[in-house]
Amino acid sequence: MAAAFIGNDDLWRECASWLTRFNMLRPDHRANLETATLSDLATTLRDGVLLCNLLNKIDPGCIDVKDINQKPQLAQFLCSRNTELFLKTCRVNFGLKESELFEHQMLFHFMNFHQVLITLSALSRCPKAQQHNIEGFTAQLERSDEDDEVYQSLKSVSNTAPEISEEQLECNENVHRNDEIYQGLCGMRTLSDKLALEKRDYVIKELIYTESNYVDVLRKIKHCYIEKLTYILEPRDHAKIFYRILDIYTVNKDLKCELDRLGRSKSLKLSHIIMNFKERFLIYGDFCSNLADATTCLQDLCDRNETICQAIEKADQEANQGKFKLRDLLQVPMQRILKYHLLLENLVKETDPNHEEYTELKRARETMVDVSRYINEMARDKEQMNVLQEISRNMVWDQGTQFPIERCGRLRRDGEVRVKLHGEPKQPKQRYVFIFDKYMILTKQRGQQYLYRTMLDLSEFTVDEANNRALLQQGVRWSFQWHMVKNDKQLVYSMSVKSGDIKNMLIRAIKDAIENIHPIALSMTNHQFEMHTYKMPMTCYKCSKYLKGQIYQGYKCRVCSISVHKECIGSSGRCGAPVRSLAPAPSQEALTLQSKLWFAGEKDRAQAVSLLENRKPGTYLVRIRLQKDSDVYALSLKTENGVKHMRICSSTTENKYYLSVSRFFNSLEDMVRNYQLVSLKENFERLEADAKLEYPYRQIKAEAAQTYASPTISFERGEMVVIIDKDEEGGGRWYKGISRNGIGQFPSCCVVEQEEITYDAF
């Protein structure tokens, strides 16, 4: 088949067109747009993933997919492995000549992208590619001055491109396919009464209708796959593939029930329903983080085990006549959770600003935007965790020097440098450096292994670019230099690389890391903030939005322990050191309180409102007040009229607690137990007559291990039960909890605890 001859600026466009004809790029990919530039194609190819998958498309099986790092996150060592694998396969399997191949660093650093296009041109015209009857393209081996001008534009791209490509992380080539699957399974069908409905009512009906379809999808996954494959899959594989699906099914089944009540209860508001499910939606972060591992495991099992493959195909037929595969259905939860804020945005647009729910709907939309970002960042950082694990697997530590790689933070940049420690007579040594959020690790590369040499704590160093003058010998390699200077001036490392672009890229990564460790905004507050990794979801003290990701999500003050986003540091106010003495309570009681589900630690009124405002009336917490005076504690209670705050007074002479002089208590626990039974109205006339302490703000989700029935509560084995109190004085043998069939006490052996929750499950 004839090949088109293309030159100059049109060459990269023809390459993109060829990749599109091979279905490696979508027709609407950014490299195919009229406004596209060379950098759009170059950055798409940069990590080597598409190139390796291209070879498998031309010659299926020529590369073991397990050898491809599908999401290298622009970590140079992983991208280079992909590229080297591509070049080796081109040479061995496709017969390309050495003169037709580029060097792996040419692609990552965009040093000679013309040579990359020559390689792809040769590949497009090789016999194996021509068997697909797809026209190739021809490139000139020598580039002209005009070509040089075209490729010169890439020099700034490698330096200014973000550390992580947004498109690579949030999207992939299957994004349109995934959306088609979602619309086919959950999408809104044409309603016969659409014209009769107001636009606002139609949006609400769309939300309810699509939620019903979505829950039906989850039900099919549960019944047709999870239950049917239990005895076919190994427990470990079963758990990985269906990770969190049952929890999601429970959450959205409950959400559907609440949405179904909208038309029947005039007091029920859509915005309140969404806000009540805010924290429950966070489990989608775990699901989406595991999704890539789940689909990879599923594909691997189907490739290796015909019995499993047939069982899954049978389940596909039962679920939807084989129209959608299990792999397709697993994509739907991620599609759904990212749709809520869009549906709410449409609802806000169709709601009159004077409508009673307008402000609350806007808040619900903002909340779901925050939840969506939280979930996206969880998924992003899972890929970063995979990169860190890959580094750890390939790192060879000296005896006694091994360091938990996750404490280093996210990988920002990596690459080859030459290093010389000032004061040593030795010549500069070639090293491979990994630049993380907090540390720089210098290694010696040996094949695919990295031998640890030393580690620099970036908080102790500054970058000196003084040696940045024009060099006489610009063609000399390793001539682009800078210094890493320890703050006490006792250590200075000279570092040099092959080009100015690489130098600028690495310096930028180091400076950004140092600025994150010591943000400029720290000068605007007396808080002693440090980067911190949180194991549980955490909200910002200032803006109340979630701290996002899995690694160093925010900053925690080591004095007062508040947590904030980086951008909220400057407006976080002055530091208030936590109360060390809980007079009149002895320190031992303070430790005892930590185990109480109603104890919230140090919180101000705004934080208490945030924790309680979307909970059912009767939910309460006891907190340490931020104001420094003799009364240490306060009680916050959700009532029908909002969140009410009550100072808990204390008598330092008699070691007593009280809300009013009508009743005194020897301990906070005695006081809480009393007002679980007695109305608080005896102290506060404006409270409702039935204002009691009914539900602690923290609760424990559990699964019934056996069937239990009493006059006040009953549940079947496998049902969810929520624990709201433990009889610790009785040795913890009895719990108080809530099920779908009541509230009451039951033996602790009847349930298996799962996780702590701060939302209303019933």
Side-chain angles (χ1 to χ4, degrees), residues 725-752:
D725 196 12
K726 295 183 177 181
D727 178 19
E728 295 178 353
E729 291 183 357
R733 290 189 293 270
W734 285 85
Y735 290 166
K736 184 178 182 180
I738 311 171
S739 74
R740 294 190 182 277
N741 298 306
I743 176 171
Q745 292 187 319
F746 51 85
S748 59
C749 61
C750 290
V751 298
V752 177

Side-chain angles (χ1 to χ4, degrees), residues 222-239:
K222 178 178 183 291
H223 292 299
C224 300
Y225 296 97
I226 296 179
E227 294 175 357
K228 298 291 178 64
L229 299 176
T230 299
Y231 302 107
I232 296 176
L233 298 175
E234 290 290 332
R236 182 175 60 181
D237 295 329
H238 190 278

